[in-house]
Amino acid sequence: IPDKQISTYPNYNQYLAATAVVNNEKIVISWTDSSRDGSETSIYAKVILFNGMEETPDFQVNQYTLNSQDYSDIAALSNGSFVIVWNSYNQLGNGSWDIFARIYDPSNNAGNEFSINADLAGDQSFPTVTGLNDGKFVVVWESAGIYCQIFSDSGSFFGEVFLINQWLSFPFPPKVASLLNGGFVIVWSGSQAGWVDVYGRIYETAGIPRTSEFKLNNASASDCFDPKVTALADGGFIRS
């Protein structure tokens, strides 16, 4: 398949793209779009089949259209649905960044957007999401720490929000991946001893810690930022 332009909007900028493979048959792409809906920025997406054909045109994800929405992420769910999460500014009327989500069924029909973190004060930023083997999904983000909330495949809260990092000094944006054994792993950057290092923590699907936080990089003679994490077929994971 040759290179393909995803966004059909010719004006301004499209950036911060995220992708997910859904049901081994299609790819969902989301991105931040500048000024397309008349606000500062907004979230758009498109579904493309494996043969390169477009299953949908560009569609707007966020229903609240004032101020800015950006930094989206996508996860496929085990029932063939997918969920998109993003940041939205002042949507709760608190002058802060908060996190919202919207679930799409296997036919790409959407429910209403909903708040991930309504009970937390201050900016909630840089959401990342993964689907779990049992149908639930996990949203992780940065605030005055790294926080996590588990949801059912319908978007119902599963348990309470919980703090991931045990060392509270300067955490940076996290990433999360589902493991083949049913758990999930979260990685982030943080400063504990001068340099910024990469840390991780593994959880069971119900949110029970399997490990304490642990350091992932060997060298500490330079700062390490923006870690990525990918599950492996043997139940482990690789951090890059």
Side-chain angles (χ1 to χ4, degrees):
I1 299 174
D3 293 350
K4 180 181 180 67
Q5 183 172 337
I6 302 301
S7 171
T8 58
Y9 186 63
N11 299 324
Y12 303 105
N13 299 313
Q14 294 79 40
Y15 53 97
L16 292 175
T19 63
V21 174
V22 178
N23 211 28
N24 287 319
E25 64 180 13
K26 60 188 180 183
I27 303 168
V28 183
I29 305 109
S30 67
W31 63 90
T32 300
D33 216 315
S34 297
S35 302
R36 185 167 181 171
D37 66 351
S39 67
E40 295 175 21
T41 55
S42 52
I43 304 300
Y44 279 77
K46 175 175 280 185
V47 180
I48 296 178
L49 299 174
F50 276 8
N51 62 8
M53 298 294 293
E54 295 182 1
E55 188 169 71
T56 71
D58 297 4
F59 58 90
Q60 186 165 10
V61 176
N62 56 292
Q63 294 172 291
Y64 177 83
T65 58
L66 299 179
N67 303 314
S68 294
Q69 293 78 39
D70 64 13
Y71 206 90
S72 63
D73 197 20
I74 313 171
L77 305 182
S78 61
N79 63 1
S81 302
F82 60 92
V83 58
I84 302 178
V85 299
W86 67 92
N87 270 148
S88 185
Y89 182 69
N90 201 35
Q91 184 164 342
L92 298 177
N94 55 9
S96 297
W97 288 94
D98 292 288
I99 298 167
F100 289 80
R102 201 170 186 190
I103 297 172
Y104 291 77
D105 70 16
S107 298
N108 308 316
N109 299 308
N112 289 323
E113 66 187 25
F114 57 95
S115 172
I116 298 296
N117 63 276
D119 294 334
L120 295 177
D123 287 331
Q124 318 296 317
S125 304
F126 306 112
T128 180
V129 62
T130 192
L132 301 179
N133 295 344
D134 64 356
K136 298 194 292 289
F137 63 92
V138 176
V139 184
V140 182
W141 67 93
E142 175 196 350
S143 183
I146 306 298
Y147 286 89
C148 178
Q149 177 69 61
I150 303 173
F151 293 86
S152 72
D153 59 6
S154 65
S156 298
F157 285 81
F158 181 87
E160 302 292 331
V161 63
F162 54 95
L163 182 68
I164 301 299
N165 56 303
Q166 295 169 294
W167 185 270
L168 298 178
S169 178
F170 304 112
F172 292 95
K175 291 294 182 183
V176 61
S178 176
L179 301 177
L180 293 186
N181 60 12
F184 58 94
V185 58
I186 299 167
V187 299
W188 67 94
S189 296
S191 175
Q192 294 188 10
W195 296 108
V196 176
D197 295 303
V198 176
Y199 294 88
R201 198 170 186 188
I202 301 173
Y203 283 80
E204 306 291 350
T205 54
I208 300 169
R210 191 182 300 173
T211 70
S212 297
E213 70 177 49
F214 52 89
K215 185 178 173 182
L216 282 164
N217 57 299
N218 292 324
S220 292
S222 60
D223 290 331
C224 300
F225 291 100
D226 196 25
K228 306 293 190 297
V229 62
T230 304
L232 299 176
D234 62 1
F237 64 92
I238 184 169
R239 189 276 302 171
S240 59

